[in-house]
Amino acid sequence: MLESYPRDELFQVPVPILRKHAEAILGLVERPRVRALVRADQFDRFVSILVFVPRDRYDSVVREKVGTYLKTVFEGRLSAYYPAFPEGGLARVHFIIGRSGGKTPKVEQATIEAAIRDIVRTWDDALRETATEAGADAALTAIASRFSESYRDSFSPTVALVDAGRIARISASNPIAIDYYRHAHQKPHQAALKIYHHGAPVALSRRVPVLENIGFRVISERTFEVGDDQSGMVFIHDMELENRYGKPIDLRDGGALFEDAFLSVWRGDVDNDGYSGLAQTAGLWSSEITILRAYGRYLQQVGIPQSQDFIAAALNRYPDIARGLHALFIARLGPTAEGEGVVAAKHLKAKIKDALEEVPNIDDDTIIRRYLNLIEASLRTNHFVADTKEKGQSLAIKLESHAVEGLPAPRPWREIFVYGSEVEGLHLRFGPVARGGLRWSDRAQDYRTEVLGLVKAQQVKNAVIVPVGAKGGFYPKKLPMSAGRDAIFEAGTSAYKNFVSSLLSITDNIGLDGVIPPAGVVRRDQDDPYFVVAADKGTATFSDTANAISEKHGFWLDDAFASGGSAGYDHKKMGITAKGAWEAVKRHFREMNRDIQTSPFTVVGVGDM
C-alpha cells in the first residue's frame, strides 16, 4: 500500500494521518466502497484528497463532477488530479484543491463520501433504490427505466416514478394526462406543467393558446419520448410557465383547478377563449366559468357592441365581481334559492353595486351591469341538474325578456338560451301558448337577429290565425365541413337533439295530478307547460325526431309536441301555402263564372299577404 501511495503526499503527510489513511485503504481490500481521505495543508494553501470509487463507475464525467464538488465544498480551485488504477475493483484519484487564503473549511468525511456516492451512483441504481423504498410496482419501474438520457439529466428517479404512474394511466382511448408543479428555484408566480400524450406529440400551436387563455405565459418547453412502436410512444412536454397577471399561481390540490380548465378545453367541453382566465384570476372551475361564458355569448346575440374578448377581459380585470356574479347566479337559481339564497342574493347584489363604484371604465361598468341584469332576469336553468351531459343536454337558461335591458324590439314573453360545446341556440316565445318552427341557422354571430326577423314576419302574416307565435334557431358548432353532406346532416341532427332536449329540461310537464316541475330546477316563474315546436328551414324532416325526444322525456304532449312528421301532415304537399290560397281564390271566382286573370275585381284584405 505504501509503495503505491502518491509519492509527494507520502513525504508530506504526518505519520499519524498516514497511519489512519493506510488502515482505511487496507480496509478497502476486503470491503471495496467509496472512500475520501482528506488532509488539509497546515498553512491552508491546499487540500489533498484521496478518492476511491468503484472502477466500473469511474470515467471522466465522474471525475469532473467529483472535482467540481470538492473545489466547491473546500472553497478553492482544482489545481491537479492524478488518477490511478491499483489492483482490485477500485479506482483512485488524488485531487489537489488549491486555496487562496483563509481558514480551510472543515467538512465531515461522511458528508464528502455521501456526496461522492450520489455522484458515482448511476440513475438506474437510484431508480431501483427509490422503487424499493416506495414499494413501487415493477411495471412502473420498467416504464421509468426506459426514460432517455436527456430526461435522466433533468429529473430524479423519484420524479420518474411519478411520471411513470401517469404514463401507465394513458392509452389510445385515454391519450392525455397533465400535471402542474413547481421547481425548487421557481418563484410563487411561476410554475411548470407536464403534458403526457400517447401516440404523437402535441403541437405547440394547440397547447400554447389554451395555456395563454388560462392566464399563463409559456417561457420554455422541452419534449421527452418514452416507449417504442410495440408498447406505444408517449411524449412528455415539460413547460415552464408564469402568471400573466403577475400574481402567485395557486397550486393547492396539485393545480386541479388549472388541470380542469385545460382538459375541459382539450376535450371540447368548453370553448377556448379568454373566459378560461377566470380560473387564474377568480379561482373558478370550468363549469362555473361556463355560466359567465354563456351570458357573454347571449350578450353578443342581443347586440352588445363589445367583443367576446373584451367582455372576458373585463371579467378578468375584476375577479371579485366575477366571483360575485357567479355567486348571485347560485343564490337565485341554485338548490338553496328558495331559502337562504333570497337573503344571500340581496347581499350579493348590493356588494356588486358597491364594487361598481370602483370601476372607472364605462365599458367595463356597462358589461358588469348587463351581467347583473341578465342574472336577475333569469327564471330557470338546468345547470344544477345532475348528468345533463350524459343525457346529451347543454346549459339552458330561461329569461324573462321584458326584464332584459337593451333587447331589440319586438321583445318576447319568454326566451330560452341554450349554450354548449356542440350547439348554441334560443327559442323566443311571445305568449304562454305559442307555436313556431326551429331553424337550423348558419349565422354563428347573430342567429337571434335571424330568428327575430322571422318573428316579425310571423307577427304580420299570421296575425289573423294566431294572436302570438314563437320561433327558435340553433347553430351547430361542430359540423365536419370536409366530411361530406351525410356527415354534416348527422352532426346537425345531433345538435338539434341536444337543443330540443335542453329546451325540455327546464319545461314543466303535466301529469294526472297536474303540473309537474322539472326535477332539480328552481322556478322563479309560474307554471309553464305549454311548449310546442314546428319545422322550419333545415328541420323539415325533424318533426319525428323532436317527437321522439318528447316521448323519451315523458312530456305530456307526447308525439303532438312537434307538428308534422309521420303522425301529422305536410302542409306543402296538402297545398296549405300562399300559392295554395291563391289557387283556392281562383276556384272560388270560377264557381261564380268570373275569370279573375282577365276581369278586374275588388278585394277587402287584412295584412300584407
Side-chain angles (χ1 to χ4, degrees), residues 41-318:
D41 175 55
Q42 60 180 329
F43 302 112
D44 295 313
R45 297 170 300 175
F46 63 88
V47 182
S48 168
I49 310 106
L50 289 175
V51 175
F52 294 84
V53 298
R55 185 175 294 190
D56 58 351
R57 302 290 171 82
Y58 176 80
D59 57 22
S60 59
V61 175
V62 167
R63 187 253 305 152
E64 286 181 14
K65 288 182 177 179
V66 173
T68 300
Y69 167 74
L70 293 174
K71 75 176 183 181
T72 302
V73 78
F74 285 111
E75 300 175 5
R77 60 191 178 278
L78 181 60
S79 298
Y81 60 87
Y82 307 101
F85 302 93
E87 291 185 9
L90 295 176
R92 184 192 73 196
V93 186
H94 183 202
F95 290 96
I96 304 297
I97 305 299
R99 302 194 70 258
S100 299
K103 194 69 176 173
T104 301
K106 288 187 177 181
V107 186
E108 293 292 331
Q109 180 179 345
T111 302
I112 298 173
E113 290 176 353
I116 295 174
R117 270 196 298 273
D118 287 338
I119 292 172
V120 302
R121 183 174 58 168
T122 66
W123 198 87
D124 286 317
D125 292 338
L127 176 63
R128 282 191 294 270
E129 291 175 14
T130 305
T132 301
E133 291 172 4
D137 187 271
L140 297 186
T141 307
I143 293 172
S145 67
R146 296 202 298 268
F147 285 135
S148 64
E149 285 300 322
S150 58
Y151 178 95
R152 296 177 179 208
D153 290 341
S154 304
F155 300 104
S156 69
T158 303
V159 174
L161 285 174
V162 175
D163 288 346
R166 290 192 172 87
I167 290 171
R169 292 195 292 270
I170 64 176
S171 61
S173 58
N174 178 35
I176 191 169
I178 67 173
D179 175 38
Y180 287 93
Y181 66 101
R182 183 174 281 118
H183 292 296
H185 66 273
Q186 288 185 311
K187 298 176 181 177
H189 72 283
Q190 297 174 323
L193 166 66
K194 281 181 184 171
I195 299 175
Y196 311 83
H197 194 255
H198 185 277
V202 182
L204 278 169
S205 58
R206 184 172 181 187
R207 47 192 157 107
V208 171
V210 178
L211 293 167
E212 288 180 338
N213 279 328
I214 296 174
F216 293 114
R217 286 195 187 95
V218 180
I219 306 303
S220 65
E221 188 273 346
R222 51 189 176 170
T223 297
F224 308 98
E225 301 177 24
V226 60
D228 50 44
D229 294 335
Q230 289 183 340
S231 62
M233 292 297 295
V234 173
F235 294 83
I236 304 175
H237 303 291
D238 186 51
M239 311 172 77
E240 288 192 345
L241 314 172
E242 68 178 23
N243 190 333
R244 192 175 71 203
Y245 305 98
K247 297 179 179 179
I249 298 173
D250 186 357
L251 292 184
R252 287 177 296 181
D253 300 323
L257 188 72
F258 305 125
E259 181 177 343
D260 172 62
F262 185 94
L263 291 180
S264 295
V265 174
W266 176 272
R267 291 189 297 260
D269 293 340
V270 302
D271 296 331
N272 182 23
D273 54 28
Y275 290 98
S276 295
L278 291 167
Q280 186 83 260
T281 57
L284 296 178
W285 294 87
S286 177
S287 60
E288 297 171 335
I289 295 170
T290 296
I291 300 299
L292 300 180
R293 182 183 280 113
Y295 280 122
R297 290 286 193 274
Y298 178 79
L299 286 175
Q300 172 186 321
Q301 293 300 322
V302 299
I304 195 170
Q306 291 85 0
S307 69
Q308 288 297 294
D309 286 341
F310 190 94
I311 294 172
L315 293 175
N316 280 302
R317 277 192 287 273
Y318 303 100

Side-chain angles (χ1 to χ4, degrees), residues 195-516:
I195 299 175
Y196 311 83
H197 194 255
H198 185 277
V202 182
L204 278 169
S205 58
R206 184 172 181 187
R207 47 192 157 107
V208 171
V210 178
L211 293 167
E212 288 180 338
N213 279 328
I214 296 174
F216 293 114
R217 286 195 187 95
V218 180
I219 306 303
S220 65
E221 188 273 346
R222 51 189 176 170
T223 297
F224 308 98
E225 301 177 24
V226 60
D228 50 44
D229 294 335
Q230 289 183 340
S231 62
M233 292 297 295
V234 173
F235 294 83
I236 304 175
H237 303 291
D238 186 51
M239 311 172 77
E240 288 192 345
L241 314 172
E242 68 178 23
N243 190 333
R244 192 175 71 203
Y245 305 98
K247 297 179 179 179
I249 298 173
D250 186 357
L251 292 184
R252 287 177 296 181
D253 300 323
L257 188 72
F258 305 125
E259 181 177 343
D260 172 62
F262 185 94
L263 291 180
S264 295
V265 174
W266 176 272
R267 291 189 297 260
D269 293 340
V270 302
D271 296 331
N272 182 23
D273 54 28
Y275 290 98
S276 295
L278 291 167
Q280 186 83 260
T281 57
L284 296 178
W285 294 87
S286 177
S287 60
E288 297 171 335
I289 295 170
T290 296
I291 300 299
L292 300 180
R293 182 183 280 113
Y295 280 122
R297 290 286 193 274
Y298 178 79
L299 286 175
Q300 172 186 321
Q301 293 300 322
V302 299
I304 195 170
Q306 291 85 0
S307 69
Q308 288 297 294
D309 286 341
F310 190 94
I311 294 172
L315 293 175
N316 280 302
R317 277 192 287 273
Y318 303 100
D320 291 339
I321 294 179
R323 277 194 301 271
L325 290 169
H326 176 260
L328 180 62
F329 176 84
I330 294 175
R332 284 185 53 81
L333 297 171
T336 62
E338 294 171 339
E340 59 192 50
V342 176
V343 177
K346 289 181 180 178
H347 288 307
L348 286 164
K349 181 180 176 181
K351 190 175 180 182
I352 291 169
K353 287 194 170 181
D354 289 342
L356 279 167
E357 300 297 326
E358 305 299 322
V359 177
N361 185 293
I362 186 64
D363 285 329
D364 292 348
D365 182 273
T366 300
I367 288 167
I368 293 167
R369 290 183 188 278
R370 292 291 295 271
Y371 264 89
L372 188 60
N373 169 246
L374 285 178
I375 293 172
E376 292 197 294
S378 299
L379 301 173
R380 305 183 183 191
T381 181
N382 63 355
H383 177 68
F384 303 98
V385 178
D387 302 326
T388 51
K389 183 180 178 182
E390 289 72 15
K391 296 172 185 173
Q393 298 170 358
S394 297
L395 173 67
I397 302 173
K398 185 178 183 180
L399 297 156
E400 183 182 358
S401 304
H402 286 278
V404 177
E405 298 172 358
L407 280 188
R411 292 192 176 201
W413 176 69
R414 297 285 188 268
E415 62 185 283
I416 299 176
F417 178 61
V418 174
Y419 173 77
S421 60
E422 182 183 5
V423 65
E424 282 184 41
L426 41 72
H427 184 267
L428 311 182
R429 192 153 49 112
F430 285 79
V433 181
R435 168 197 170 279
L438 301 181
R439 168 168 293 214
W440 180 335
S441 176
D442 56 3
R443 291 165 57 170
Q445 302 300 315
D446 64 342
Y447 50 80
R448 190 182 189 278
T449 302
E450 179 185 12
V451 172
L452 202 62
L454 298 173
V455 168
K456 292 177 181 178
Q458 185 187 54
Q459 283 186 331
V460 174
K461 76 177 186 180
N462 291 355
V464 289
I465 305 171
V466 291
V468 291
K471 281 289 180 183
F474 69 98
Y475 174 73
K477 297 166 71 173
K478 293 183 177 180
L479 295 181
M481 301 308 294
S482 60
R485 185 173 180 178
D486 290 343
I488 292 173
F489 182 78
E490 185 177 343
T493 304
S494 176
Y496 178 81
K497 291 177 180 177
N498 185 315
F499 179 59
V500 173
S501 183
S502 301
L503 294 174
L504 283 175
S505 70
I506 57 173
T507 301
D508 293 329
N509 204 351
I510 296 180
L512 294 175
D513 298 324
V515 172
I516 304 171

